[in-house]
């Protein structure tokens, strides 16, 4: 369904930019990014002119108090800022400064688990009769002393750790320092909804909800069935991938909780709920709610899972469009703090530009990961410098450190990210791949991205129009984006060969943007020439 552009909400027409606070900008000389660093760079994100990216919202990965066993995804106080990142006063200043520039603030909400240092868990583990005992998931060993069930941790090993003091196991599907909350306990629900209220009162515009599909597990915690087709060459401790995820996530009862979360958001004006949700399309689409009463944006990661192929990308988009109920708004993601950089994944910078054009021109809200706009590739992290628990437990090739290297601002030592050695090594290419250098080069990735963002911003067809794919020969993904009398055609050549596109199109066309420099402005629509990996956005009359 297409809506008139004027009725779209900010989270529909806007672009979300994800910041991993540890890696964005350090201002107090400890090698770790902080909230003041983000404030310093707000003008880079949007100063109201095409010299900036022009993004509409930032999503901040966790900055709350945390012992950092999973770099902030193990929260020990949901309602405070970790001193490493700053203070609540800094956060308030960040919110005010962002809002002054028309940038909305989305923060991470980690409802499935706390840190083992959270006062709730310290109480819970203190005795079997403690009033907070049932706030977490404790189970007796089986009669033979073995684990309560066969579930594995995403980060390797079993999902249960034995606590000798009280003789029971607690559940954790990530590291053992991330015990899981029991959302079947109404007190937990109240406490966690209050966390949302706390931040909304401070001006937060929305939440990205970490592994939201996991917060309710099967009542009886049944064993998961064995995966008949596990990926090849699994490390021996990857118990998780050897099982099908049937009883540990996406339970019917989770939707009641997501509705409670949504109605809490709706106690305030115009807030957005974004969910981290994987799983098959039919399970995933349920998180919009039957009539839109759950999340506005269940994250759609499907493009990240596609090979480099126009057909595969189109199939993924068309499948999504077909699965969405009329009220549901699509969204697309190509990278985040858990996945290898797409400039590396898709094979190079030419592919990355084309992928960026696709992300910003499909129907729905795009989320852009920091650094993708300058073409950051995977960092090279020597094995002894790996800090990510997933990489440490499951092997270097599973390490997420590669996509968390410091943002490259300029060619000064440590890339202008910090003046001391950063927590992860700066990539070697920082002397040329950095914001300062790319800002002065009209053909750089950054200059291209800026044009793309601003073109989208000014085009109702791109930010709000309909999507209609066109059958095209070769490895080419072609679609119309239309709104009122505005018609834009997007043609993306995924192949390494030049292509002459004859897709039976007619009308007078003008080039709005190409991924490639020196593109001719005049275009012949019935025989469109595309260079290797070239993408174009055309204005078409008639
Ligand atoms: C998903 C987050 O994106 C990831 O970084 C984290 O490790 C896990 N959830 C656990 O919170
Ligand atoms: Ca710092």
């Amino acid at each position: 369904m297409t809506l008139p552009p004027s009725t779209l909400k900010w989270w529909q027409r806007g672009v979300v930019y994800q910041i991993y606070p540890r890696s964005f900008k350090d201002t107090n000389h400890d090698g770790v990014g902080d909230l003041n660093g983000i404030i310093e760079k707000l003008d880079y994100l949007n100063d109201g002119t095409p010299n900036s990216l022009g993004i509409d919202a930032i999503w901040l990965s966790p900055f709350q108090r945390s012992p950092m066993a999973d770099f902030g995804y193990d929260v020990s106080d949901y309602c405070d800022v970790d001193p490493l990142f700053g203070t609540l006063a800094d956060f308030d200043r960040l919110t005010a400064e962002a809002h002054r520039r028309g940038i909305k603030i989305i923060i991470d909400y980690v409802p499935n688990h706390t840190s083992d240092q959270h006062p709730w868990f310290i109480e819970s583990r203190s005795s079997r009769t403690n009033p907070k005992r049932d706030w977490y998931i404790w189970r007796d060993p089986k009669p033979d002393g073995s684990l309560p069930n066969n579930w594995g941790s995403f980060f390797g090993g079993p999902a249960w750790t034995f606590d000798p003091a009280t003789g029971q196991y607690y559940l954790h599907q990530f590291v053992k320092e991330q015990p899981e909350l029991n959302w079947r306990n109404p007190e937990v629900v109240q406490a966690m909804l209050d966390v949302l209220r706390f931040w909304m009162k401070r001006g937060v515009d929305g939440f990205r909800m970490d592994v939201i599909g996991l917060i309710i597990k099967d009542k009886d915690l049944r064993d998961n069935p064995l995966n008949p087709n596990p990926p090849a060459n699994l490390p021996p401790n990857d118990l998780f991938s050897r099982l099908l995820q049937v009883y540990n996530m996406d339970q019917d009862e989770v939707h009641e909780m997501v509705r409670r979360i949504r109605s809490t958001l709706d106690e305030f004006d115009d807030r957005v709920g974004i969910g981290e949700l994987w799983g098959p399309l039919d399970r995933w689409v349920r998180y919009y709610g039957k009539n839109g009463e759950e999340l506005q944006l269940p994250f759609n990661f499907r493009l990240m899972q596609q090979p480099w192929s126009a057909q595969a990308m189109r199939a993924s988009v068309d499948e999504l469009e077909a699965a969405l109920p009329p009220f549901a708004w699509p969204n697309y993601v190509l990278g985040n703090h858990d996945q290898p950089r797409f400039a590396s994944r898709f094979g190079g910078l030419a592919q990355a530009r084309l992928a960026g054009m696709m992300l910003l021109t499909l129907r729905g809200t795009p989320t852009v990961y920091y650094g993708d706009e300058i073409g950051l590739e995977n960092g090279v992290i020597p094995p002894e410098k790996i800090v990510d628990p997933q990489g440490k437990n499951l092997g270097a090739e599973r390490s997420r450190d590669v996509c968390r290297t410091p943002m490259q601002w300029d060619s000064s030592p440590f890339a202008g990210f910090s003046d001391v050695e950063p927590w992860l090594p700066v990539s070697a290419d920082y002397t040329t791949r950095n914001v300062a250098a790319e800002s002065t080069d009209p053909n750089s990735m950054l200059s291209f991205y800026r044009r793309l963002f601003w073109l989208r911003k000014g085009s109702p067809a791109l930010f709000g129009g309909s999507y209609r794919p066109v059958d095209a020969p070769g490895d080419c993904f072609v679609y119309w984006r239309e709104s009122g009398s505005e018609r834009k055609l997007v043609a993306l050549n995924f192949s390494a060969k030049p292509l002459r596109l004859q897709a039976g199109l007619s009308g007078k066309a003008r080039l709005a943007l190409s991924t490639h420099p020196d593109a001719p402005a005049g275009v012949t629509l019935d025989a469109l020439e595309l260079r290797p990996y070239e993408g174009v956005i055309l204005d078409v009359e008639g």
Side-chain angles (χ1 to χ4, degrees):
M1 184 170 73
T2 49
L3 299 164
S6 57
T7 66
L8 294 179
K9 303 269 193 195
W10 64 267
W11 50 265
Q12 293 177 301
R13 58 190 292 162
V15 174
V16 178
Y17 183 91
Q18 180 190 357
I19 293 178
Y20 195 68
R22 292 185 76 86
S23 303
F24 203 56
K25 169 75 187 166
D26 172 30
T27 56
N28 66 340
H29 326 288
D30 62 0
V32 177
D34 40 57
L35 297 184
N36 283 328
I38 300 172
I39 297 174
E40 214 173 87
K41 296 298 182 186
L42 284 173
D43 279 342
Y44 165 73
L45 297 176
N46 194 347
D47 69 0
T49 79
N51 295 328
S52 65
L53 282 175
I55 56 98
D56 303 275
I58 48 179
W59 151 35
L60 308 175
S61 284
F63 53 79
Q64 293 83 349
R65 264 190 201 265
S66 164
M68 307 286 165
D70 188 17
F71 296 104
Y73 283 96
D74 49 318
V75 179
S76 56
D77 184 348
Y78 286 107
C79 298
D80 201 3
V81 173
D82 195 279
L84 190 62
F85 296 120
T87 62
L88 274 175
D90 295 334
F91 180 79
D92 291 342
R93 209 154 54 83
L94 168 58
T95 307
E97 287 293 322
H99 284 166
R100 202 160 65 76
R101 291 165 176 83
I103 302 174
K104 303 279 186 182
I105 298 263
I106 298 166
I107 67 169
D108 228 295
Y109 175 61
V110 189
N112 180 62
H113 42 267
T114 68
S115 159
D116 64 344
Q117 300 306 308
H118 196 294
W120 298 341
F121 188 68
I122 293 176
E123 271 201 55
S124 182
R125 83 188 308 175
S126 67
S127 86
R128 287 200 187 201
T129 54
N130 183 280
K132 295 234 164 36
R133 184 65 168 184
D134 184 51
W135 279 42
Y136 291 83
I137 301 181
W138 292 95
R139 286 295 180 278
D140 286 332
K142 285 198 181 141
D144 65 357
S146 62
L147 306 171
N149 72 16
N150 72 348
W151 297 1
S153 157
F154 283 83
F155 293 160
W160 296 95
T161 287
F162 188 67
D163 193 44
T166 55
Q168 286 192 310
Y169 284 94
Y170 66 87
L171 179 71
H172 58 84
Q173 298 182 74
F174 297 92
V175 288
K176 67 176 190 330
E177 291 83 1
Q178 290 165 300
E180 301 205 6
L181 284 164
N182 176 16
W183 277 72
R184 291 182 187 270
N185 180 323
E187 292 177 20
V188 169
V189 178
Q190 274 322 320
M192 289 305 291
L193 297 182
D194 281 344
V195 170
L196 297 170
R197 294 186 182 104
F198 173 86
W199 289 107
M200 285 190 285
K201 282 184 203 146
R202 287 203 110 83
V204 160
D205 302 288
F207 300 89
R208 175 271 186 188
M209 304 177 190
D210 192 64
V211 289
I212 187 73
L214 264 65
I215 62 174
I216 293 277
K217 300 84 174 75
D218 174 51
K219 213 166 177 0
D220 301 320
L221 300 176
R222 278 171 279 182
D223 277 353
N224 271 331
L226 290 181
N227 181 352
N229 299 307
N233 305 321
L234 286 180
N237 63 343
D238 188 349
L239 311 180
F240 182 86
S241 311
R242 292 186 160 77
L243 302 173
L244 296 178
Q245 313 308 319
V246 174
Y247 294 115
N248 58 329
M249 60 172 74
D250 298 337
Q251 304 302 294
D252 287 344
E253 304 97 300
V254 78
H255 295 283
E256 171 59 27
M257 292 305 135
V258 179
R259 284 192 291 272
R260 300 275 308 267
I261 289 173
R262 173 60 186 276
S263 34
T264 306
L265 300 193
D266 289 348
E267 290 167 14
F268 296 75
D269 279 351
D270 223 11
R271 312 295 153 121
V272 71
I274 306 177
E276 189 205 8
L277 288 156
W278 297 83
L281 207 51
D282 54 336
R283 249 153 74 168
W284 171 87
V285 77
R286 291 183 63 190
Y287 288 91
Y288 282 100
K290 281 205 180 70
N291 297 298
E293 67 280 29
E294 294 190 28
L295 300 177
Q296 293 99 324
L297 300 174
F299 258 145
N300 166 32
F301 299 122
R302 282 170 191 78
L303 290 184
M304 296 202 295
Q305 297 162 324
Q306 304 310 316
W308 183 253
S309 140
Q311 283 72 20
M313 297 294 179
R314 174 176 171 184
S316 176
V317 172
D318 290 357
E319 196 185 36
L320 181 92
E321 287 275 353
L324 291 180
F327 57 80
W329 188 253
N331 75 89
Y332 293 95
V333 178
L334 277 182
N336 64 27
H337 63 293
D338 293 330
Q339 304 298 323
R341 289 275 177 185
F342 73 76
S344 303
R345 228 176 332 119
F346 289 150
L349 289 178
Q351 290 91 325
R353 277 191 189 224
L354 191 70
M357 183 175 271
M358 175 176 70
L359 178 67
L360 271 294
T361 56
L362 286 171
R363 187 178 83 92
T365 308
T367 300
V368 176
Y369 185 49
Y370 88 92
D372 282 348
E373 76 276 21
I374 55 169
L376 280 193
E377 296 182 70
N378 284 339
V380 179
I381 319 283
E384 70 282 2
K385 292 221 164 132
I386 293 180
V387 290
D388 172 28
Q390 181 168 285
K392 281 178 159 175
N393 298 344
L394 291 171
E397 60 295 338
R398 297 277 288 275
S399 170
R400 300 170 296 176
D401 294 335
V402 296
C403 63
R404 298 175 178 179
T405 58
M407 180 64 175
Q408 296 170 191
W409 295 106
D410 58 40
S411 59
S412 66
F414 309 121
F417 164 75
S418 179
D419 50 13
V420 300
E421 173 135 23
W423 73 288
L424 279 175
V426 175
S427 287
D429 61 6
Y430 79 92
T431 49
T432 50
R433 181 162 309 152
N434 64 61
V435 169
E438 292 194 25
S439 292
T440 57
D441 173 3
N443 296 330
S444 69
M445 181 81 118
L446 181 59
S447 299
F448 164 68
Y449 256 95
R450 284 177 176 155
R451 288 195 291 270
L452 184 57
F453 279 47
W454 284 89
L455 177 67
R456 181 191 153 93
K457 225 183 189 19
S459 161
L462 291 181
F463 68 69
S466 60
Y467 158 85
R468 194 156 50 87
V470 177
D471 290 332
D475 200 6
C476 201
F477 184 13
V478 182
Y479 44 93
W480 286 105
R481 299 297 318 282
E482 291 163 304
S483 171
S485 61
E486 185 193 354
R487 304 181 74 208
K488 282 205 160 53
L489 185 80
V490 182
L492 309 169
N493 177 11
F494 276 66
S495 80
K497 297 196 201 99
L499 198 86
R500 183 160 220 253
L501 183 73
Q502 281 170 310
L505 299 167
S506 59
K508 237 171 93 195
R510 195 184 55 80
L511 183 75
L513 184 65
S514 164
T515 48
H516 288 33
D518 320 315
V523 182
T524 320
L525 206 49
D526 60 0
L528 190 60
E529 309 275 351
L530 293 174
R531 291 167 278 181
Y533 301 124
E534 185 172 26
V536 293
I537 305 173
L538 307 176
D539 280 305
V540 180
E541 267 173 41

